[in-house]
Amino acid sequence: PSDFLNRCFAVDRLEYPALTADAAWALGLFAAAAGRSSEALPAYQKALDLFTRARNWDNVAGLHNQLAILYGLMGEQRVAWSHRQQAMESYERHDLPSQRARVLLMDVARTASADGCPLVAIRLQTVIVALAQKDGDAFAISNALQSRARYFDDAGITPSALHDIDAAQRAVARIGDAAVRERAATNVNAARAHIVRRGNPAEACRLLQETIDHLRRIENPLLLPELYVAMARCQADQQLIREAGQSIDAALAELRSLNGGTGGAGRRRPHLDRQGAVRQGGVGIFV
């Protein structure tokens, strides 16, 4: 696919600007997924320039969001926030499609939460909930509510967190597609464990184990490393240090398994990055 995209990118951009912009964006996505930031950045920037000239504000906002994510992964947080601000300005000035707006706001809310600003995240996530409810998309509603529940919990507003997670559970029941419904149920279960952990770590462990067992039954291991780290935290809360260590070992084993199935060195970097995050999470439990 990358060879085809490179040929598209080489086409006279004045004659086919939309094709060139789409190809540049796709090349950026390929490079970013392979951990090649130095290739992704110019491709994203070229696509952004072309879409800006075409006044295609939907894609302009999307590219600012992609650049923010990429700069964030590179540790350039100030530049990342600059792109998030420009994406938000595009959202505020233009009537962006609901799905694009949700993705944009979701990234900003998640980053605000990670930066220790849960009240900002709650405000942004409330807009996402409203957009999802307006669209009537049960999967989007469930995801939006369970994310806001986490932010409420991080802010210490437990009643609102529990209210949202119950509403997210009800939304899951309205999802028609069985595979999508299972994925949403997994997200809600993990979020509920996050919320109940402070007051009842044993119940959080039960919910996490239930989710892990379910993912093993349906042979979907992608979320297992993070779930095992969450399990380790809950076990450490109960002074079950040996069990917490075993959960960290299980998380690393799952990451090694995932890394072994990537099929190429270029695709291993994201998994290695996750392994570093899991190791760091494990260290945080035992210090």
Side-chain angles (χ1 to χ4, degrees):
S2 58
D3 289 341
F4 170 74
L5 290 169
N6 276 310
R7 288 198 298 274
C8 291
F9 189 56
V11 170
D12 182 353
R13 66 194 57 177
L14 295 177
E15 188 174 356
Y16 302 104
L19 176 61
T20 306
D22 285 337
W25 192 344
L27 282 169
L29 289 171
F30 273 109
R36 299 194 300 271
S37 302
S38 61
E39 296 176 28
L41 283 173
Y44 281 157
Q45 192 60 57
K46 180 56 63 179
L48 177 61
D49 292 344
L50 289 168
F51 281 129
T52 300
R53 287 208 293 263
R55 303 176 69 82
N56 186 329
W57 305 120
D58 177 13
N59 286 334
V60 166
L63 278 158
H64 276 303
N65 192 45
Q66 290 294 331
L67 282 163
I69 293 170
L70 188 58
Y71 275 113
L73 291 172
M74 294 166 60
E76 299 284 349
Q77 298 302 334
R78 185 181 296 276
V79 182
W81 272 111
S82 173
H83 281 288
R84 288 190 184 96
Q85 182 177 351
Q86 292 177 78
M88 292 289 290
E89 288 172 356
S90 185
Y91 164 69
E92 291 172 354
R93 292 177 182 174
H94 308 286
D95 187 20
L96 296 184
S98 176
Q99 186 174 5
R100 173 76 75 200
R102 294 202 312 266
V103 170
L104 163 63
L105 293 169
M106 188 188 316
D107 174 63
V108 180
R110 185 166 46 237
T111 306
S113 173
D115 286 352
C117 302
L119 295 179
V120 174
I122 289 168
R123 184 166 183 176
L124 292 167
Q125 196 66 30
T126 297
V127 178
I128 298 171
V129 170
L131 288 170
Q133 290 172 333
K134 183 178 179 180
D135 292 342
D137 183 335
F139 178 63
I141 292 169
S142 174
N143 276 348
L145 286 167
Q146 63 93 4
S147 292
R148 191 172 67 176
R150 286 176 179 267
Y151 302 150
F152 272 127
D153 182 65
D154 291 342
I157 311 174
T158 304
S160 295
L162 292 172
H163 177 274
D164 269 3
I165 205 65
D166 288 340
Q169 189 75 58
R170 291 192 295 272
V172 168
R174 300 198 299 272
I175 299 173
D177 184 277
V180 175
R181 187 167 60 249
E182 285 188 343
R183 186 171 62 181
T186 297
N187 292 340
V188 170
N189 243 24
R192 191 182 291 278
H194 176 84
I195 292 165
V196 305
R197 173 192 162 198
R198 186 183 294 114
N200 192 344
E203 173 63 9
C205 278
R206 187 193 68 77
L207 288 166
L208 288 166
Q209 189 62 58
E210 180 181 295
T211 306
I212 289 168
D213 292 343
H214 174 69
L215 290 177
R216 289 196 178 285
R217 282 197 302 273
I218 65 174
E219 298 181 348
N220 184 355
L222 290 176
L223 294 177
L224 289 178
E226 285 79 8
L227 290 172
Y228 273 119
V229 172
M231 176 77 83
R233 292 192 179 104
C234 294
Q235 290 164 333
D237 289 344
Q238 302 170 79
Q239 299 301 308
L240 302 173
I241 304 304
R242 182 176 63 86
E243 290 84 349
Q246 290 171 343
S247 293
I248 292 295
D249 288 342
L252 292 170
E254 290 297 333
L255 278 174
R256 285 193 292 271
S257 176
L258 289 170
N259 188 42
T262 57
R267 297 197 60 183
R268 288 180 186 151
R269 178 169 173 175
H271 292 290
L272 294 174
D273 289 344
R274 287 177 76 197
Q275 182 166 316
V278 167
R279 287 188 185 278
Q280 189 61 39
V283 169
I285 290 169
F286 298 109
V287 296

